[in-house]
């Protein structure tokens, strides 16, 4: 007999766990129309915090401090893992899959570190491991890449994949707020990770672009070879200069299928104001997908927060239940691919260099760059003439390794006080 009641257990009642509960409760009727005649029952909720505040007091009846108890419950059919971080999340997921339970998660870190292994285990056990909420929270990008965009090989994905840093950069740029103040606000709004360094230093966006690359290019790749850098060094000064030049600064995640290898990286970038991603502001995420005859596709939506992430967890639950009686394996092909060494990648560059204000300085710097085959698009002196001034250089496309070598030499010139900023530029 087909199972009509599908029991759910949730591990971790932080922002995303609580958002999931709220949606399952408030939209119950609407959700169950899609899975009729099946019904969803919240069977058990676990969090290590004994005093977790649950808005619906009735839920304390199904609350436990033991994630183990939930995973071991034979009546539970689907485990929602919203603990975050690597362990114990990974072991709990593996245990659940091994005991024949489906798993839904928002945990990008676990997928980046152990995704292929987990998917293998899910396949062996004929259950699903779904993770739509792990990338760009409210945007159904994984579904689009794996279910809809299946007719052409994709060439490129560009994304603003971290809501916290996008919120911070937007507040710094549009309201002149300080970094610290904007970060605090994004934490209060529930956008930031429990440890916000994961957002700020690019780790979160790195996990997400790994996931998108693996799915979009059907690639088996080693995440350890992906370069990532966060927004700690972005100053209001650079945001202002970039604006004058017609750009906005964003934390950009990029993945290009070059054919022989994949160019995947995360770093801040100057984006031209008329680029599709330039106006993705606040906690919004944006993703541009290129390739195929469908033209450029741009997705945007809330990339962080309880309800955007919760809504994608619920849609994965619905997906599993709709196919409950006919298991189908959604991820069956990954081809080993090499990630291009970061030093071998190309971009135009924005460089801000602080120099002594005297004749001949530009020529000295230019000759170093010329020797390394880095050519300039424009050079602008910033600020009042004085002892020292900042010079902003925009380069043509140049090799990362050559730019870094040139900068090392430039930093040693007597006329140079400091290399203030090195930011890559994106072309339309
Ligand atoms: N901390 C993440 C972000 C939450 O800011 O985008 C969603 O993954």
């Amino acid at each position: 007999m087909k199972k009509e009641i599908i029991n759910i257990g949730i591990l971790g009642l932080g922002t995303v766990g609580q958002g999931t509960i709220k949606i399952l409760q408030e939209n119950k009727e609407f959700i169950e129309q899609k899975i009729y005649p099946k019904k969803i029952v919240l069977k058990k909720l676990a969090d290590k915090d004994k005093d977790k505040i649950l808005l619906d007091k009735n839920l304390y009846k199904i609350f436990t401090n033991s994630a183990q108890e939930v995973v071991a419950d034979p009546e539970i059919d689907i485990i929602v893992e919203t603990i975050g971080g690597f362990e114990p999340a990974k072991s709990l997921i593996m245990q659940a899959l091994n005991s024949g339970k489906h798993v839904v998660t928002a945990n990008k870190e676990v997928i980046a570190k152990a995704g292929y292994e987990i998917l293998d285990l899910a396949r062996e056990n004929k259950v699903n491991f779904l993770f739509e909420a792990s990338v760009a929270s409210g945007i159904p990008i994984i579904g689009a890449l794996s279910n809809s965009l299946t007719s052409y090989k994709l060439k490129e994905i560009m994304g603003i994949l971290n809501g916290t840093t996008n919120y911070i950069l937007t507040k710094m740029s549009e309201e002149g707020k300080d970094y610290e103040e904007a970060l605090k606000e994004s934490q209060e709004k529930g956008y930031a990770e429990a440890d916000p360094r994961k957002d700020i230093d690019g780790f979160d966006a790195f996990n997400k672009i790994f996931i998108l690359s693996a799915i979009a290019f059907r690639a088996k790749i080693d995440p350890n070879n992906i370069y990532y850098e966060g927004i700690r060094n972005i100053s209001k000064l650079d945001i202002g200069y970039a604006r004058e030049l017609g750009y906005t600064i964003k934390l950009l995640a990029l993945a290009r299928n070059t054919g022989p290898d994949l160019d995947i990286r995360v770093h801040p970038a100057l984006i031209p104001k008329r680029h599709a991603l330039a106006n993705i502001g606040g906690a919004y995420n944006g993703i541009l997908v290129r390739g195929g005859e469908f033209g450029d596709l741009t997705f945007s939506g809330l990339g962080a927060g309880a309800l955007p992430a919760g809504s994608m967890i619920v849609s994965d639950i619905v997906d599993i239940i709709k196919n409950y009686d006919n298991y189908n394996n959604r991820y069956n092909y990954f081809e080993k691919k090499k990630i291009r060494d970061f030093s071998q990648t190309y971009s135009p560059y924005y460089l801000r260099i602080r120099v002594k204000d005297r004749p001949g300085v530009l020529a000295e710097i230019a000759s170093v760059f010329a020797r390394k085959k880095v050519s300039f698009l424009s050079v602008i002196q910033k600020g009042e003439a004085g002892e020292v001034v900042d010079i902003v250089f925009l380069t043509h496309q140049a090799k990362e390794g050559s730019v870094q070598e040139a900068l090392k030499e430039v930093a040693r010139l007597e006329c140079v006080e400091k290399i203030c900023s090195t930011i890559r530029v994106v072309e339309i």
Side-chain angles (χ1 to χ4, degrees), residues 16 106 108 133-138 160-167 186 190-196 198-199 204-205 208 283-285 302-305 309:
V16 183
K108 50 246 154 171
S134 65
V135 180
S137 289
I160 296 172
L161 298 180
N162 182 263
T164 303
T165 47
N166 204 37
Y167 183 88
S186 71
Y191 302 148
E193 297 298 299
D195 177 355
K198 291 185 179 174
D199 299 295
D204 178 74
K208 291 169 177 170
Y284 270 69
N285 280 189
L302 270 174

Side-chain angles (χ1 to χ4, degrees), residues 114-243:
Y116 300 113
E117 181 191 351
I118 295 175
L119 283 172
D120 281 347
L121 187 66
R123 193 179 312 117
E124 278 165 29
N125 287 285
K126 293 201 165 28
V127 286
N128 285 118
F129 173 66
L130 299 187
F131 43 89
E132 181 64 73
S134 65
V135 180
S137 289
I139 307 176
I141 185 65
I142 294 177
L145 291 173
S146 52
N147 301 325
S148 308
L149 302 176
T150 51
S151 45
Y152 286 97
K153 272 191 184 168
L154 298 179
K155 293 190 182 119
E156 182 175 43
I157 297 174
M158 267 187 202
I160 296 172
L161 298 180
N162 182 263
T164 303
T165 47
N166 204 37
Y167 183 88
I168 294 172
L169 291 173
T170 307
K171 292 284 162 181
M172 284 169 76
S173 161
E174 288 175 9
E175 296 171 29
K177 286 207 166 143
D178 287 325
Y179 167 89
E180 288 298 340
E181 189 187 354
L183 169 60
K184 198 163 157 269
E185 274 180 24
S186 71
Q187 286 177 294
E188 282 161 8
K189 289 179 187 285
Y191 302 148
E193 297 298 299
D195 177 355
R197 285 175 301 184
K198 291 185 179 174
D199 299 295
I200 303 303
D201 295 325
F203 180 68
D204 178 74
F206 147 79
N207 287 325
K208 291 169 177 170
I209 195 66
F210 162 79
I211 297 171
L212 291 188
S213 306
I215 304 292
F217 306 135
R218 301 177 187 170
K220 185 146 199 184
I221 42 180
D222 180 354
N224 295 315
N225 296 331
I226 298 177
Y227 174 85
Y228 70 93
E229 173 191 325
I231 63 160
R232 260 179 218 279
N233 297 326
I234 301 299
S235 66
K236 277 201 259 180
L237 206 57
D238 288 318
I239 291 175
Y241 290 161
R243 186 185 303 122

